[in-house]
Amino acid sequence: MKTIVGILLFLLTFSCSKNKPSIINNSQIIILSSEKSENGMNDSKESWLIKDIQKDTIPGISLSKAAEELLIKKNGTEVIVAVIDMPIAIDHKALKDNIWKNTNEIAGNHIDDDQNGYIDDIHGWNFIGNSKNENIIFMHYEFTRFLIAEKNGVKLSPELTSQFQRARNVYNERIQYAEENFLGVKKMDSLYYNTKTTLSSFFPNEKINEAKLDSLLSSNPKMAEVIELHKMYQDENVDDSYVDNMMLKAKKRIDIQLNLEYDDRAIIGDDVNNLNDTNYGNGNVSHNTEILTHGTKMAGVIVSSFGEESLQDITKHIKIMPLPISGLGGENDKDMALAIRYAADNGANIINISSGKYFSLHENWVHDAIKYAESKNVLIVVSSGNVGIDLDAEPKYRYPNDNSITDKTEISNNFMRIGTSNYTLDSTFVHPATNYGKTEVDIFAPGEEIYTATSIKNEDYAYGSGTSEAAAVVSKSAAIIKCYYPELKAHQIKDILLKTGVQYNIEVSMKDSLDNSIKIPFNELSKTGSVVNVYNALVLAESLTTNSSN
């Protein structure tokens, strides 16, 4: 018997005339079977997030429908989305035509032509490097910085001092994990290369294939274990690069990220506790992208047309401003704050921050930057995180956020936090790892198995999952609204997106604070209880701008 899922679509607080596209309201209940939705996915896996729940039976953001019905005769304007993240592969074939260029700066003349405080910032600014083009790959976790601050006698506020024990606990757990992981990776490394060496002795200078392995096994049964290991490595795409990368990360986690004696800002040479010490960084926004892949993936989600020609004329207007602040570890609040200010000062309309942490030494710097961005009419979209926790539970530790340090009220109206939805119309409609919260998370968006650009070695595209992808989907949605309705302010775009989401009457499987499995109605997971829908948002944007001009 088919599983029947009732889907209730969000009722907006406005109405449309008979001659205008209408938004589905709560008098219409669409009954779908999960089986039908899964069948619809068979040919749409790479582009499911742009599909429509009515037309395609897939709970995407209805972007294809919007392109065909609402935007086909509209002219768009350029929109700049700052991606505060890891470096971005700006020459990637999926991104190169969508990278922002600072036309007021002359490349390579070592002069701050536009006098914005940054020399040769042609495509943005890299906050994790120096003028010699030396760049950080691995950096401390923020809880490591807490313990370093304590060790060095840095005077902190009572609020921060009270978090030292929490930082110690997390640090001790992470050290134990790092040491166990390093031993496991060493064993894997040894096993992998021993397997490779052993088989190479039988097939020198020959490509190993299935027939040769079967022949070897027939003549030498003792090789069964080695052959099975080799086949497993092939099935899992494990190669030299993968193993070396795992070993590098395992080693650096101990040597750098958790090392209280290591100075992770040595090549930069700044005072990390002085926000006014800004003479650092460089214009290389595309360094080490084979290992620092996250920024490229997020940029890919934001500008991709997902193979649909009808979307190419839309996404061509979106320009990515790369602002690297993240390596492997935890972002510095100083870099975050300065990157937000850079974006606001240099024309960004939207800031995408698909990264985050659970400690913050200088939260006030980031708060001031968020309010500064609000004064410049810039919308900030952030991921809620992938730990599977209720962010409404006290205390509220997830950064960056827009909660006042003193009373936890919101400090601005330009900040959105996003959870992850899936394409399955059942209890797995959200991934159990997504963070959630009826007050702390604004809305959900597709973020499961999103096909996007990647800078992983020998790969141009890959699937990614998480609240990072979901945040990028919302940044994409906000950019499209801004593109066609440039007169709208940041807070209006936020309000439009929150008012026009689609509600799904589904109970989803989550984890409680004790890691027990629980069922929660989807509409209880966020402030709006809904999933972003571009089609609905554009209808409301049209209504608001038309009414305001009359």
Side-chain angles (χ1 to χ4, degrees):
M1 180 180 293
K2 295 181 178 180
T3 303
I4 301 298
V5 181
I7 299 179
L8 182 62
L9 296 146
F10 194 66
L11 173 63
L12 299 176
T13 56
F14 69 97
S15 61
C16 300
S17 71
K18 293 181 180 179
N19 297 323
K20 293 182 180 180
S22 61
I23 296 178
I24 301 168
N25 62 40
N26 71 348
S27 66
Q28 297 170 281
I29 297 178
I30 306 170
I31 303 297
L32 300 170
S33 72
S34 58
E35 181 179 323
K36 185 177 180 182
S37 181
E38 289 170 8
N39 290 339
M41 280 296 298
N42 291 338
D43 300 321
S44 305
K45 185 68 175 293
E46 292 182 3
S47 59
W48 78 267
L49 77 89
I50 62 175
K51 300 300 183 180
D52 177 71
I53 186 61
Q54 284 183 298
K55 182 179 178 181
D56 309 301
T57 71
I58 298 172
I61 62 173
S62 304
L63 179 53
S64 290
K65 181 180 178 182
E68 294 167 4
E69 299 181 15
L70 304 179
L71 301 177
I72 192 166
K73 294 182 180 180
K74 281 186 173 289
N75 295 318
T77 58
E78 182 177 286
V79 176
I80 300 171
V81 180
V83 178
I84 298 179
D85 208 296
M86 290 182 178
I88 293 173
I90 61 175
D91 293 327
H92 193 291
K93 60 185 179 182
L95 305 177
K96 61 184 180 180
D97 294 331
N98 294 85
I99 300 299
W100 172 75
K101 185 175 182 180
N102 183 358
T103 56
N104 296 319
E105 194 78 4
I106 300 172
N109 68 354
H110 306 295
I111 297 172
D112 183 11
D113 300 288
D114 57 2
Q115 298 184 4
N116 69 348
Y118 299 90
I119 296 172
D120 291 342
D121 56 324
I122 303 302
H123 296 296
W125 194 251
N126 169 38
F127 290 88
I128 51 174
N130 62 25
S131 59
K132 298 177 183 178
N133 198 27
E134 297 171 325
N135 303 296
I136 292 174
I137 299 177
F138 295 89
M139 55 179 59
H140 285 144
Y141 297 114
E142 190 79 342
F143 54 81
T144 306
R145 297 187 188 111
F146 260 75
L147 300 190
I148 291 173
E150 181 183 41
K151 180 172 69 73
N152 293 338
V154 177
K155 189 174 181 180
L156 300 175
S157 68
E159 166 70 16
L160 290 176
T161 302
S162 68
Q163 294 188 46
F164 275 135
Q165 188 56 52
R166 185 170 71 94
R168 288 190 199 96
N169 293 341
V170 174
Y171 179 84
N172 290 336
E173 291 173 3
R174 197 65 177 169
I175 276 285
Q176 182 178 348
Y177 164 79
E179 291 172 346
E180 293 172 353
N181 176 258
F182 181 63
L183 292 175
V185 172
K186 277 181 68 176
K187 184 176 180 179
M188 180 191 74
D189 179 270
S190 176
L191 201 58
Y192 171 81
Y193 281 107
N194 284 342
T195 299
K196 183 177 179 179
T197 300
T198 301
L199 288 178
S200 295
S201 67
F202 287 94
F203 307 107
N205 304 317
E206 292 184 54
K207 187 174 182 179
I208 303 172
N209 57 38
E210 191 81 17
K212 289 178 180 178
L213 289 175
D214 291 342
S215 177
L216 176 61
L217 182 59
S218 297
S219 62
N220 195 338
K222 292 182 179 180
M223 292 296 296
E225 184 176 348
V226 171
I227 291 171
E228 285 304 311
L229 279 171
H230 176 79
K231 289 181 178 180
M232 181 191 72
Y233 294 141
Q234 284 188 315
D235 291 342
E236 299 296 329
N237 295 316
V238 175
D239 57 11
D240 293 9
S241 176
Y242 176 88
V243 174
D244 294 347
N245 194 28
M246 290 287 289
M247 177 57 77
L248 178 67
K249 290 179 179 180
K251 191 172 188 303
K252 296 299 184 182
R253 188 177 290 118
I254 295 172
D255 293 346
I256 294 179
Q257 295 167 292
L258 295 165
N259 187 349
L260 301 180
E261 305 301 324
Y262 185 84
D263 181 3
D264 70 341
R265 303 284 284 195
I267 67 167
I268 292 178
D270 69 320
D271 180 356
V272 75
N273 294 306
N274 180 3
L275 187 62
N276 295 316
D277 184 4
T278 60
N279 188 27
Y280 68 96
N282 58 53
N284 184 2
V285 297
S286 196
H287 64 87
N288 298 299
T289 55
E290 283 193 358
I291 188 168
L292 303 177
T293 62
H294 195 271
T296 301
K297 294 175 181 177
M298 298 308 104
V301 174
I302 294 168
V303 305
S304 177
S305 61
F306 297 97
E308 293 205 10
E309 290 185 13
S310 62
L311 299 186
Q312 291 175 2
D313 284 340
I314 298 172
T315 57
K316 71 181 182 182
H317 297 295
I318 305 175
K319 303 300 179 184
I320 299 294
M321 177 190 287
L323 297 175
I325 69 166
S326 304
L328 294 174
E331 305 84 7
N332 267 285
D333 290 330
K334 177 181 178 180
D335 300 336
M336 176 80 74
L338 292 177
I340 292 172
R341 289 177 178 272
Y342 178 99
D345 285 336
N346 289 277
N349 307 105
I350 297 152
I351 295 173
N352 185 86
I353 306 176
S354 299
S355 56
K357 54 191 180 181
Y358 296 87
F359 292 85
S360 177
L361 275 169
H362 298 288
E363 183 182 6
N364 57 315
W365 291 351
V366 179
H367 278 184
D368 289 344
I370 291 171
K371 289 184 285 188
Y372 181 75
E374 183 181 37
S375 75
K376 294 281 189 173
N377 191 30
V378 181
L379 179 67
I380 299 176
V381 181
V382 306
S383 55
S384 65
N386 303 306
V387 185
I389 59 175
D390 181 356
L391 294 178
D392 289 354
E394 293 290 348
K396 299 171 182 175
Y397 297 125
R398 173 66 183 175
Y399 308 96
N401 62 43
D402 62 342
N403 293 323
S404 167
I405 296 174
T406 54
D407 59 11
K408 302 303 181 184
T409 58
E410 291 186 356
I411 61 168
S412 69
N413 196 27
N414 67 325
F415 189 94
M416 298 178 69
R417 180 178 277 161
I418 315 301
T420 301
S421 63
N422 198 355
Y423 50 77
T424 53
L425 297 172
D426 54 28
S427 63
T428 65
F429 186 58
V430 301
H431 194 282
T434 185
N435 290 346
Y436 60 97
K438 187 65 175 173
T439 61
E440 287 298 302
V441 175
D442 290 291
I443 198 166
F444 275 60
E448 196 74 13
E449 295 191 77
I450 305 300
Y451 194 67
T452 183
T454 186
S455 51
I456 297 171
K457 187 176 181 180
N458 300 323
E459 292 186 45
D460 290 322
Y461 300 91
Y463 286 98
S465 299
T467 58
S468 291
E469 281 77 6
V473 169
V474 175
S475 291
K476 181 189 195 79
S477 304
I480 291 169
I481 296 170
K482 184 69 175 178
C483 173
Y484 291 95
Y485 301 94
E487 64 271 38
L488 290 173
K489 304 297 185 183
H491 70 88
Q492 291 177 303
I493 295 174
K494 172 184 175 179
D495 192 48
I496 287 170
L497 288 168
L498 297 187
K499 282 184 176 179
T500 57
V502 177
Q503 286 192 346
Y504 294 85
N505 187 25
I506 299 173
E507 277 199 338
V508 297
S509 298
M510 304 298 293
K511 297 285 187 180
D512 64 14
S513 59
L514 299 176
D515 204 36
N516 297 313
S517 295
I518 55 174
K519 289 289 185 69
I520 303 178
F522 174 71
N523 60 15
E524 292 296 317
L525 297 182
S526 67
K527 189 177 296 184
T528 62
S530 60
V531 175
V532 160
N533 189 276
V534 173
Y535 182 94
N536 286 356
L538 287 168
V539 173
L540 179 52
E542 175 71 21
S543 176
L544 291 176
T545 53
T546 299
N547 291 340
S548 65
S549 62
N550 291 336

